Amino acid sequence: MKQTTKYAALVAAVGAVFGLAGPGGASAAAPERLHWTKCTSPGLDPRQQCATLDVPMDYSDPDSPEIQIAVSRIPSEKPSARRGALLLIPGGPGGDSLNDPSGKGQKLPQRVRDAYDLVGFAPRGMAPSTAVDCALDPADISMTKRLPWPAPDGSVGENMATARRTAEACARNGGELIRHISTANEARDLDRVRAALGEEKVSAWGVSYGTYVGAVYSQLFPHRTDRIVLDSNNPDHTRVTRNWLAAFEVGVEDNFPEFARWASRPGNPYRVARTPAEVRSGFLRLAAGLDREPLPWPGAEPPRFDGNALRQTMLSSLYDPDDYPTLAKALRAAREGTVPPVPEAPPESVLQNVAAVGVGTICNDVDWPDSATAYQQDVDESRAAYPLTAGMPRGPMVCAAWPYEPKEPAVRITDRGPSNILLVQNERDVATPLAGARKLRRALGDRAVMVTVNSTGHDAYLDNGNACGDRTVSRFLATGTRPASDLYCD
């Protein structure tokens, strides 16, 4: 799912409460207060402040060692209009929002920036919070390894081998912390942040995977929530990341026609075919050809441009229509027997950290099957029904070999709690399709209203949505006014 960092498309696809006492259980102890200092990262708004907060590694163990959570904020720009704090919940798992008060937070309308302190954080395991690292083989942190793209013949044997290597490395090198990285624990950490901020309630803007964090927080701590915006939604409390992965097959089919129309438009300097149908057939034909005869791709990992590298380029490019030229240029290059530029990547240390947090979250949230035969059957079905994604969305990720059982069931999202949630969802979203958002809307019942935006791309509010959706969300954050019923923004 999409990140709010420079490397959004790369990282994105990886991409029940313990017996605690009531809504405030995770913050039952006297709350620590945050001690704000100047942030040290370059390029930030000079108003942004930083702090750290100690939280238990294991909320079920009173004697658990503590870990640190890094927190940031830009205070309300008009103290007389201040309502409280707005948590900026990042996507991922494996993203952080520490720079967001200085970044996307500044895209918020003035009346919203007046009403709230904008608060970012690095989730447990993400540097500069107490960090986790699996020390994976560098070859296993490429996107065509971390996502289970099958072999050219559709077999999942190599995926299962990658899963075993990754799981063994994380069990060996991830320490005790990797067993305690989960969405429920991130929600508990956020309630400690709320208490440390001195707030009785908090508002939140969660994006992509952050919508699941926001929904879980609203379930575990319903009376600590003020105004909750969930942007680009696809949580499923029974399958969790397995459902998010499977959603790609629908999301690509929802979005590829938009790319195909764009890439066949006369006058487009990146035009690749005369008709949308020819764009699709040409993509499938080229991917199959690259499966048979990959092109050398010096500097890439792995150093070959094969069918899965083209498919991954497609998946990343469909997150945002602004990235359509990347896919078009890759198609044109491969068709001519050349290769596209190697995508920019973050440092290996960052990739290792992102991968470890992602692994811990997706494997600890919910149990995955371990049968290669069952995965193979699912992949074969997916390849037949959704050829663009070649079976990847139903393949085995690292959790197929994860050696640990989840420490608790996945949190069930229900309609019990205050009616203070607004969902905003683009109609065509490759990572979190509209069908998944509708599932969350049904689960929340009268707690929520949903704004469906006639737009293409991941991240709706103030990004790939439209003016109607943006106005509706901004009005809710600033005034608390939601539409009386679900709204379609054409």
Side-chain angles (χ1 to χ4, degrees), residues 417-429:
S419 183
N420 60 357
I421 299 173
L422 180 66
L423 280 63
V424 59
Q425 178 70 40
N426 281 346
E427 198 164 11
R428 295 168 298 279
D429 183 330

Side-chain angles (χ1 to χ4, degrees), residues 389-412:
T389 44
M392 180 277 290
R394 300 195 208 176
M397 292 188 74
V398 57
C399 309
W402 196 238
Y404 310 116
E405 293 293 322
K407 288 183 173 289
E408 58 183 315
V411 176
R412 182 169 178 263

